[in-house]
Amino acid sequence: MQSIYILWLRQLKRYFRSKSRIVGTLGQPLLFLVALGFGLGPVFAKAGQGNYLEFIAPGIVSMSILFTAIFSGIEIIWDRQFGFLKETLVAPIARWQIMVGRTLGGATVAVFQGLIVFILSLFLGFKVETFALIPQMLIFMILIALLFTALGTAIASILEDMQGFQLIMNFLVMPLFFLSGALFPLQGVPGALQVVASVDPLSYGVDGLRGAITGVFHFGLSIDLLILSLTTTILIGIGTFLFSKIQI
């Protein structure tokens, strides 16, 4: 357990040492909140859907967690190329402990990033239905962070260099985000899109976050928790297995 704690702490130190990284990762969420939240707000209101900023804010928080978590996992590729991973793997600790420590560290960073975006959305005019549901919101943020940090670790355990990074972004990460219902309601969309959204694990994270903050769910609280918990457990298992097979 001590080795897991050390690796978790190492991930946090790496993140907080880079102030430019903290500021840089806030640029895209803020752009989405301002440009879409205010730009499409009148159109959304005319369609009878209410305040678009209040709808989109949970989705943008989820996006921030998704990107930060994925990148935390993919940092393994950088560590492998510069030799840092080899130093970690030859240490006298089990590889599953290394994976768990890195995953917890990456997930903590992602949750912290999501909380910053959430606080910024409050300053932009987002209103929370009741702050009593904030602990429920945190549970969904943690599950999203763990899930996608583990996914990033699993992907990075297979890739040997960054050449496949754009492929991951274009054909995995961006579709996961755009098809999750983060930017548009899933009610009334074409059947094919409903099916795709229902197999997208981020859809349940977005729905859980939105429901926790606004009190309105699409899938339902129990379904969101069940799917996210199962998917997170499976991906942590897959990530641990693939990480244990890394050759140094």
Side-chain angles (χ1 to χ4, degrees):
M1 294 301 296
Q2 183 178 3
S3 57
I4 292 175
Y5 171 76
I6 292 172
L7 288 166
W8 170 77
L9 198 60
R10 178 181 170 186
Q11 287 289 97
L12 295 186
K13 287 181 178 179
R14 175 186 290 185
Y15 174 74
F16 287 110
R17 275 201 306 262
S18 178
K19 294 182 176 61
S20 60
R21 176 181 173 183
I22 298 174
V23 175
T25 50
L26 293 175
Q28 192 174 48
L30 277 175
L31 176 63
F32 273 73
L33 281 172
V34 174
L36 296 182
F38 293 105
L40 295 179
V43 178
F44 198 74
K46 287 181 180 179
Q49 299 292 333
N51 189 323
Y52 189 51
L53 179 62
E54 293 188 4
F55 175 84
I56 198 178
I60 301 305
V61 171
S62 300
M63 178 193 78
S64 177
I65 297 173
L66 165 68
F67 283 20
T68 306
I70 284 282
F71 294 150
S72 294
I74 291 179
E75 281 179 355
I76 291 175
I77 300 176
W78 290 104
D79 288 350
R80 176 188 288 178
Q81 290 183 337
F82 291 102
F84 300 129
L85 183 62
K86 184 176 182 180
E87 295 177 4
T88 304
L89 293 179
V90 297
I93 55 176
R95 287 196 176 187
W96 71 266
Q97 292 181 319
I98 298 174
M99 193 276 180
V100 170
R102 292 185 63 100
T103 299
L104 290 177
T108 304
V109 168
V111 170
F112 179 77
Q113 194 78 26
L115 285 173
I116 294 177
V117 175
F118 173 69
I119 293 170
L120 290 175
S121 69
L122 294 177
F123 284 104
L124 291 174
F126 177 68
K127 297 178 181 179
V128 179
E129 189 72 19
T130 170
F131 282 94
L133 293 177
I134 293 298
Q136 182 175 299
M137 179 193 78
L138 287 173
I139 290 173
F140 280 104
M141 292 176 70
I142 291 169
L143 285 173
I144 295 170
L146 287 172
L147 191 160
F148 289 106
T149 306
L151 177 60
T153 300
I155 293 171
S157 299
I158 298 173
L159 296 178
E160 294 187 358
D161 52 48
M162 295 300 295
Q163 293 181 1
F165 180 72
Q166 290 300 325
L167 185 68
I168 295 168
M169 284 298 299
N170 292 331
F171 292 98
L172 180 63
V173 179
M174 296 308 291
L176 282 172
F177 168 61
F178 281 107
L179 298 175
S180 66
L183 303 179
F184 56 86
L186 293 177
Q187 295 90 344
V189 300
L193 193 56
Q194 280 275 13
V195 172
V196 173
S198 66
V199 298
D200 181 354
L202 186 61
S203 298
Y204 302 94
V206 172
D207 186 52
L209 267 180
R210 185 173 290 132
I213 298 173
T214 65
V216 180
F217 291 91
H218 175 71
F219 298 107
L221 174 61
S222 57
I223 295 296
D224 292 334
L225 280 174
L226 177 63
I227 297 298
L228 272 181
S229 300
L230 285 175
T231 309
T232 301
T233 302
I234 292 171
L235 279 175
I236 289 176
I238 293 174
T240 302
F241 173 77
L242 293 176
F243 187 81
S244 68
K245 299 298 181 181
I246 292 179
Q247 300 296 323
I248 59 173

